[in-house]
Amino acid sequence: MSRSWLITGCSSGFGRRLASAAAARGDRVLATARNSEAVFDLVAAFPDLVIAAQLDVTKPDTAAAAVAKAKASFGGIDILVNNAGYGLIGAVEEGAPDEYRPMFEVNVFGLIETTRAALPALREKGGTIVNFSSGAGIAGSAGSGFYNATKFAVEGLSEALAEELRPFGIHVIIVEPGPFRTEFLGRSITVAALEMPEYAGTAGQRRHYRDESDGHQPGDPDKAVAVILRAIDATAPPLHLPLGPIAHTTAEHKLASFRRDLDRWKSVAIATDFEADNEA
Ligand code: NAP
C-alpha cells in the first residue's frame, strides 16, 4: 500500500536518499528543504509521487504550511522523518552561544516544532516518526559536547513520544548513525572559532578528525536508507536503531560502562529513601 511521507532536509544526504528510495517503491513524498529548488530534480524524477515544499525547521510557520500541503495533496501523513540537522565541533569551554544555540534551534527545537505540527495528521490514522539522532546521541565524546547535547535531547524526547503515541498506533524510531558519507562532515559541521591549546589533546583531536575523515567515512548512506525502510516496514519497529559498526560499538561500550557504574555503586546509591515508618 502506498504511503505518504514528509521528510525534512531533502537537499542532500540521508533526507534526499530517503525521499528518492520512498518514491522508487511507489510511496508519495513531500520532500522539503530550506530552499525548495534543491529538490526540484527529485520532483522531475518522480513527477507523480514527489512534491516539493519549503521548510526551514527553525520557522514553525513553514512546518505548518508543509503539513497542510501534505494533507491537501496526499490526504494525510503516514511517515514523518525529522532528518534536518548539523553539527558543531569544539570543547564546551571553546564554544560561544552564537555558535551552539542556533544548532539547538535546528536539531532540537526544529524537530519539536515540526513534530508538533505533524502530530494531528499522524494521529488520524497512525504511522511512524523517524527521528535522526546519531551515535553522538548514544555517548558523549570530547569535542562534540554541544552536538551530543542536541542529539541526547532528541533521544529523550523520542522515548517520551514513543510512550505517548503508542495508543494512537504511531511508532517512533530513533536513527543513530555512525559516520556515513553524506555532506555532513563537509558543509554540515561548524567549528568553534576559539581554539584553546589546553584542549589540543582531547577536543582538538575532533577538529583533525573532521579534516581527515570527510569523504572517507565508512558508512554507505544508501545501505543505511535500506535499513531504515526495513525498520519502518517491520511489524515491531525498533525504538533505537544504531546504524553501522561504529555506532554499534558505541552502544555496546555505553551499555557496558553504564552497567559497571550501576554494579559498583548500587548498594550505596539505592540506600537513599526515607527510613520505613515503623510506628504502625
Ligand atoms: P547533510 O547531507 O549535510 O544533510 C543535512 C541536511 O540538513 C541538509 O539537507 C540541510 O539543508 C538540512 N538542514 C540544516 N539546517 C536546516 C534547517 N534549518 N531547516 C531545514 N533543513 C536544514 O548531512 P546528513 O548526514 O544527511 O545529515 C542528516 C541527519 O543525519 C542530521 O540530523 C545529522 O545530525 C544526522 N547524522 C549524520 C551522520 C553522518 O555521518 N552523516 C551521523 C550521525 C547523524 P540545507 O541544504 O538547507 O543546508
Side-chain angles (χ1 to χ4, degrees):
M1 199 185 69
S2 170
R3 282 178 291 179
S4 305
W5 297 57
L6 191 162
I7 309 175
T8 65
C10 290
S11 65
S12 67
F14 289 123
R16 181 179 197 75
R17 285 174 173 82
L18 268 170
S20 179
R25 66 182 200 168
D27 286 352
R28 295 164 299 182
V29 182
L30 190 77
T32 77
R34 278 194 284 199
N35 172 7
S36 57
E37 284 179 20
V39 296
F40 284 175
D41 59 329
L42 284 173
V43 178
F46 302 98
D48 299 330
L49 295 169
V50 178
I51 295 175
Q54 197 262 336
L55 199 172
D56 178 335
V57 298
T58 64
K59 298 185 175 134
D61 55 323
T62 65
V67 168
K69 193 166 184 174
K71 283 192 77 174
S73 310
F74 307 147
I77 299 169
D78 301 305
I79 301 162
L80 167 69
V81 183
N82 285 306
N83 159 75
Y86 73 95
L88 167 64
I89 292 174
V92 173
E93 193 178 349
E94 291 172 330
D98 64 352
E99 293 174 326
Y100 55 78
R101 283 178 179 262
M103 182 174 58
F104 279 80
E105 289 296 338
V106 174
N107 295 6
V108 182
F109 299 116
L111 180 146
I112 289 172
E113 298 306 346
T114 307
T115 303
R116 295 184 70 246
L119 275 176
L122 278 162
R123 277 193 295 100
E124 279 176 20
K125 46 191 172 123
T128 306
I129 297 175
V130 177
N131 283 341
F132 268 77
S133 173
S134 168
I138 299 172
S141 61
S144 295
F146 298 115
Y147 182 60
N148 291 138
T150 66
K151 294 302 189 181
F152 271 60
V154 170
E155 298 268 338
L157 186 95
S158 302
E159 289 179 3
L161 273 174
E163 284 192 14
E164 291 174 5
L165 301 180
R166 195 168 296 127
F168 303 109
I170 300 173
H171 296 289
V172 178
I173 300 173
I174 312 168
V175 175
E176 297 153 332
F180 277 80
R181 211 171 297 172
T182 64
E183 297 189 16
F184 186 70
L185 285 186
R187 68 188 184 91
S188 293
I189 284 269
T190 53
V191 181
L194 175 66
E195 186 169 1
M196 297 172 62
E198 292 87 342
Y199 292 102
T202 52
Q205 296 303 308
R206 193 80 196 153
R207 295 174 187 253
H208 297 308
Y209 166 80
R210 198 274 306 246
D211 296 341
E212 289 156 10
S213 304
D214 187 24
H216 305 288
Q217 301 96 322
D220 176 344
D222 288 321
K223 290 186 178 171
V225 161
V227 176
I228 295 167
L229 289 178
R230 197 166 158 179
I232 291 170
D233 291 344
T235 24
L239 174 58
H240 294 275
L241 186 60
L243 285 176
I246 294 177
H248 262 261
T249 303
T250 302
E252 297 287 0
H253 286 166
K254 175 72 181 242
L255 288 172
S257 72
F258 208 154
R259 169 55 60 197
R260 262 195 313 277
D261 285 347
L262 287 180
D263 290 346
R264 283 184 191 156
W265 283 86
K266 181 173 176 183
S267 60
V268 177
I270 65 169
T272 49
D273 283 352
F274 288 106
E275 294 304 324
D277 188 348
N278 292 325
E279 286 176 22

